[in-house]
Structures are given as structure tokens and as C-alpha cells.
Amino acid sequence: MTVLIVGGSGFLGAELVRQAAVAGHPTAATYATRRPRSIPGVQWHALDLRDPTRVEAVMAEVRPRVVINASSGMADWAVTAEGPVRLAMAAAKSGSRLVHVSSDAVFSGTRVHYDESCLPDPLTPYGAAKAAAETGILLVRPDAVVARTSLIIGNGRSVHERTVHELATGARAGVLFTDDVRCPVHVTDLATALIELASGESNGIHHLGGSDALSRHELGILIARRDGLDGLDGSRLPAGLRADSTVPGPLDVRLDSRATQRRLRTTLRGGHQFLMPTP
């Protein structure tokens, strides 16, 4: 199957591109500003999701069987909310299967535990944009997959891992919150699960979080131990409360991914497993 990875230059997108190419799928990918390095067998296309003409042009050129949208426009409404709906309209027109990556930011944390039946109640502009994209996509393309995920970690290349290194070495000031809880997932597991969903016939909402609920500070300690940066007590990682800060957003959001996990061959490992130090 021909696969188009939208946002292929990003952290998750790059792993999706790698796995699709290794699996032998004809693969195309998009970037917003800077063209990534060449990868054998991968065609790169510049794409601004705010431009409906360009969206149509890329879809017509690639003619993908499957589109996986891993793009991120943060709180930019035109990119994060409206762009995916334009993509869904183009996918509907071409008959392409669509898998859209959403976020646990669509939830407020009031319930703490969220399965696929829970309705979005976002607190931030980013969460609101992600929730709007979900609604629009499923209206335009009811057979699409909307996959909500959480903090994405992976072999030292994620934002959170870089932050932990900088805090542990004193390269930056700040704290890791002890009351900000998520279900982090490894980028390799997440990409594998997304490609598995894209290859199947599932539709609707799916949750793809890791099996462990961890605070950002607990996650930081696991990263530091894996990378030999800290002692067992985590003393070199400053801790704080998000509730005492000015950082907006929910505190405790735990994606319940058990229903989706039962449908998948891919195992969504928890942080204690994928961050275990190598002997």
C-alpha cells in the first residue's frame, strides 16, 4: 500500500516514515518548512495544511492508499484544527484511508481515567484545536481512525528526554512536576500501532497510551537512570507542583488504552518497561 505520512519531518513522523519504508511500503512524506535528509525510497513534499490547493495537489500526486496525519501545529487553529479537516476532505475525495493522531490534551483531567467513550472537555487552546479536528474529521470521514496518544518518548530524541538531560546537568533551570500525570508511550510502539491500525479496518476513536501512569518527575527519574544521569533518589532532578505554577492545562490525565490494546498485535509498553536500563 502507498503510505503518505503528513508531518513526516517531526519526531513521530520520522519514525512512521522509517517503519513504513522498512516494511516495503511505497512511502511519501511531508514537511512544513525544512526538507529532511533524503531517505531511500521516500518521496518528500512541502505541505502547508492551511493551503487547501496544496493539500489537494499532494494527494493527487501521491495517490496514497493510506494517509497518517502526524503533523503538529500546536495552538495554531488554522493548522491544528482546520488543517486535518482539509486533509480528511481530500482523503474522502480520493478514497484514501485516514489515520489522524490526536492527543490526551482534549481532556481536562476532571475524570482522571479516560477511555474511548469519554467526550473531550479541553482546557487549553491546543486541546480545543485537537478536539475540533477530531469532530471535523469524523464528520467528513466517518471511517477514519482518530488515535489519541500521550507523552511520546524515544531513545533520547524526545523533548521530555532532552529536558531531563538539561535539568540533570544544570544546563537549564526549572522543575519537573510531580502532580502532572500522563501515560507516556514509546515512539516505536506508537508508530507500529498506528501503521497496524492503518493496515486494518478499524475506525473511530482509539487510545494509544502506555500502560503506566507516571508524573513528569517520575518519568524524568526513569530517563535519568536509564542514561546514567542520576542516582536512585532522583536528587539531581528538581521537583515542583504544576498546581502552584502558571503553566495552563490539566493535571492528571490517564488514557485507558485497554480496549484498543486488545485489538492490536503491537504491545504499548509502559515507561517502567521501555525505560529499563540496559544491562
Side-chain angles (χ1 to χ4, degrees):
M1 64 180 181
T2 301
V3 180
L4 173 62
I5 310 297
V6 178
S9 59
F11 177 46
L12 172 59
E15 179 62 18
L16 285 163
V17 169
R18 186 192 71 80
Q19 290 195 23
V22 167
H25 301 303
T27 304
T30 75
Y31 61 96
T33 54
R34 188 172 64 181
R35 183 187 180 96
R37 63 179 178 82
S38 296
I39 299 174
V42 178
Q43 298 177 353
W44 287 98
H45 301 265
L47 178 62
D48 184 340
L49 284 175
R50 296 171 295 185
D51 183 349
T53 302
R54 184 60 186 157
V55 172
E56 292 275 358
V58 170
M59 290 289 290
E61 183 175 350
V62 176
R63 300 176 63 85
R65 172 67 185 85
V66 169
V67 179
I68 303 178
N69 179 28
S71 64
S72 175
M74 301 308 292
D76 186 326
W77 189 269
V79 177
T80 303
E82 298 173 0
V85 180
R86 293 188 187 96
L87 191 61
M89 293 171 67
K93 184 177 179 180
S94 66
S96 302
R97 179 164 170 77
L98 176 63
V99 176
H100 171 74
V101 181
S102 190
S103 167
D104 59 10
V106 302
F107 297 123
S108 69
T110 303
R111 293 175 57 109
V112 178
H113 298 276
Y114 292 87
D115 63 21
E116 289 87 345
S117 68
C118 295
L119 296 178
D121 59 341
L123 294 179
T124 63
Y126 171 66
K130 279 292 193 181
E134 291 184 3
T135 300
I137 287 167
L138 293 175
L139 283 172
V140 170
R141 195 77 169 140
D143 59 350
V145 170
V146 171
R148 296 177 183 137
T149 191
S150 191
L151 282 175
I152 307 174
I153 305 298
N155 304 325
R157 294 177 291 119
S158 69
V159 171
H160 193 77
E161 286 166 285
R162 293 198 300 270
T163 298
V164 169
H165 276 243
E166 292 168 358
L167 288 171
T169 58
R172 68 179 291 178
V175 299
L176 293 174
F177 296 130
T178 58
D179 58 346
D180 185 331
V181 178
R182 299 293 186 272
C183 293
V185 64
H186 196 280
V187 65
T188 302
D189 298 346
L190 178 57
T192 304
L194 289 167
I195 291 174
E196 184 178 341
L197 287 171
S199 304
E201 298 181 355
S202 297
N203 56 42
I205 304 290
H206 291 72
H207 284 184
L208 298 176
S211 56
D212 295 337
L214 298 168
S215 74
R216 289 181 186 261
H217 190 263
E218 289 172 326
L219 180 61
I221 290 174
L222 292 176
I223 292 168
R225 289 176 183 169
R226 180 199 64 185
D227 297 343
L229 295 173
D230 206 6
L232 294 180
D233 61 354
S235 59
R236 292 170 62 185
L237 290 175
L241 293 175
R242 184 168 184 168
D244 292 340
S245 77
T246 59
V247 179
L251 295 180
D252 196 337
V253 177
R254 309 184 190 198
L255 289 185
D256 183 344
S257 303
R258 290 175 295 178
T260 295
Q261 179 65 88
R262 286 193 290 268
R263 301 187 184 101
L264 293 174
R265 297 186 303 275
T266 306
T267 298
L268 299 168
R269 294 170 294 167
H272 283 103
Q273 184 177 0
F274 65 72
L275 288 170
M276 185 178 297
T278 303

